Amino acid sequence: MTFIHDGRSAAGPTGRTAPRPGRRPVRRHLLPFSAWHLLLAPLALLFAAPLLWLLVSSFMSNAEINRFPPALWPSGVDLGGYRFVLNNAAFPQWFANSLIVSAVAVVSNLLFGTLGGYAFARMRFAGSRLMLALMLGTMVIPFQLTMIPTFLVMKQLGLIDTLGALIVPSLVTPFSVFLLRQFFLSLPRELEEAAWIDGCGRLRIVFRIVLPLSRPALSTVAVLTFLTTWNDLSWPLIAINQESVYTLPLGLTTFQGQHHIQWSAVMAGNVMTVLPVLIAFLAAQRTFIRSITSTGLKG
């Protein structure tokens, strides 16, 4: 008698299919999501609490914000803080100044960071390793040690009290060069060698071959540069004195007087300042994570 086996597992006495020998049984999760979410969700709420409080308090009046114990929820929607900010004639100028400085810093870091990072990743020249080490060494120098020399340089260039004083020191950062260098090292050389054989020059290889493959790293550099420049307060506080050249963080400090503080306006202004940063980060979140995981920060 011949038995025909169709590859299926034999059914047990209860009618259920018995698992194949040597095959692990499939575990069914009791939760529709990962168990890690039980830990990460409370942590996410904890980190988001200051932003939520900022948003809620922006719809409170000054009396509610100054009340003790503080109110956790506004008794009504009060738009006085937003009216105070938007009726300030200088606020659109502050917003435009921050946008100009941040946009120029992002574009320049992408351009110069790409050229510098590619040079350190693919080109070997005299002193390249020493220059890379010196550049990375500048990343550990605190701003307090460099602000006076930077101020003197900007003063000699005649850029104090202008947007140039905020743009020039941010044209390129060592972190941008280093991050792009690390990403370029992870790219296969065969693509560049094939383009080199076809007659492409160095710059054409960078802009036609390397840059289209480096979108995650470029997005990360753009987001981090935008965040740093947009939220910077220390350097504009030193280099800018004219109110017409204020950036948003510096302009918001004018709402805090010596004897009276417009807390509702401060909260509303901070919400309007944080909103572009939050949108930029959420838009580039996936590419940001891909860039960090792909670079690995290996030497």
Side-chain angles (χ1 to χ4, degrees):
M1 182 180 296
T2 304
F3 294 92
I4 300 175
H5 181 66
D6 58 353
R8 301 177 181 177
S9 300
T14 59
R16 298 180 179 178
T17 303
R20 295 182 182 179
R23 187 176 182 181
R24 295 182 180 179
V26 179
R27 296 182 180 179
R28 295 183 177 180
H29 296 284
L30 299 179
L31 300 175
F33 49 82
S34 174
W36 282 103
H37 290 179
L38 298 177
L39 175 64
L40 297 178
L43 289 178
L45 291 176
L46 180 63
F47 284 106
L51 291 177
L52 295 176
W53 168 250
L54 176 66
L55 179 62
V56 170
S57 59
S58 67
F59 295 102
M60 295 182 182
S61 62
N62 287 326
E64 283 186 301
I65 296 176
N66 293 323
R67 189 175 65 184
F68 186 83
L72 298 180
W73 193 260
S75 58
V77 178
D78 191 320
L79 300 178
Y82 289 94
R83 294 193 196 98
F84 185 90
V85 172
L86 295 177
N87 290 335
N88 192 322
F91 185 81
Q93 184 64 43
W94 299 342
F95 192 93
N97 293 338
S98 292
L99 190 61
I100 292 172
V101 173
S102 301
V104 174
V106 168
V107 173
S108 63
N109 272 270
L110 291 178
L111 177 61
F112 297 128
T114 297
L115 298 177
Y118 185 83
F120 283 120
R122 291 290 189 258
M123 302 173 65
R124 291 292 178 264
F125 50 90
S128 60
R129 294 184 178 274
L130 178 61
M131 291 179 61
L132 179 62
L134 292 176
M135 183 194 70
L136 296 179
T138 60
M139 297 175 60
V140 300
I141 300 176
F143 170 73
Q144 290 77 7
L145 294 180
T146 60
M147 62 181 181
I148 295 179
T150 305
F151 179 84
L152 295 177
V153 172
M154 294 298 105
K155 185 178 180 181
Q156 292 294 327
L157 295 176
L159 297 178
I160 297 297
D161 276 343
T162 65
L163 292 181
L166 307 180
I167 293 175
V168 172
S170 304
L171 286 178
V172 64
T173 60
F175 180 77
S176 302
V177 178
F178 175 67
L179 181 63
L180 290 172
R181 171 190 178 269
Q182 297 301 110
F183 191 88
F184 294 155
L185 289 176
S186 65
L187 298 178
R189 289 177 176 267
E190 289 76 10
L191 296 175
E192 301 173 40
E193 293 174 354
W196 186 270
I197 294 175
D198 290 339
C200 291
R202 184 75 71 176
L203 289 178
R204 191 174 181 183
I205 291 176
V206 172
F207 290 102
R208 293 292 184 89
I209 305 297
V210 177
L211 287 188
L213 299 174
S214 306
R215 291 178 181 175
L218 295 176
S219 301
T220 302
V221 170
V223 170
L224 294 180
T225 303
F226 183 82
L227 292 176
T228 304
T229 310
W230 183 270
N231 295 324
D232 190 17
L233 174 62
S234 302
W235 176 240
L237 191 62
I238 297 171
I240 301 300
N241 294 318
Q242 297 182 14
E243 185 176 350
S244 60
V245 198
Y246 281 1
T247 57
L248 268 180
L250 185 57
L252 292 178
T253 60
T254 60
F255 297 158
Q256 305 179 22
Q258 184 176 0
H259 303 288
H260 180 69
I261 299 177
Q262 292 285 345
W263 283 115
S264 60
V266 171
M267 298 301 179
N270 278 289
V271 169
M272 300 173 69
T273 303
V274 170
L275 190 59
V277 175
L278 188 61
I279 294 175
F281 180 79
L282 293 178
Q285 183 179 8
R286 291 186 178 181
T287 55
F288 179 82
I289 297 174
R290 284 174 53 194
S291 173
I292 297 298
T293 56
S294 60
T295 55
L297 297 181
K298 57 185 179 180

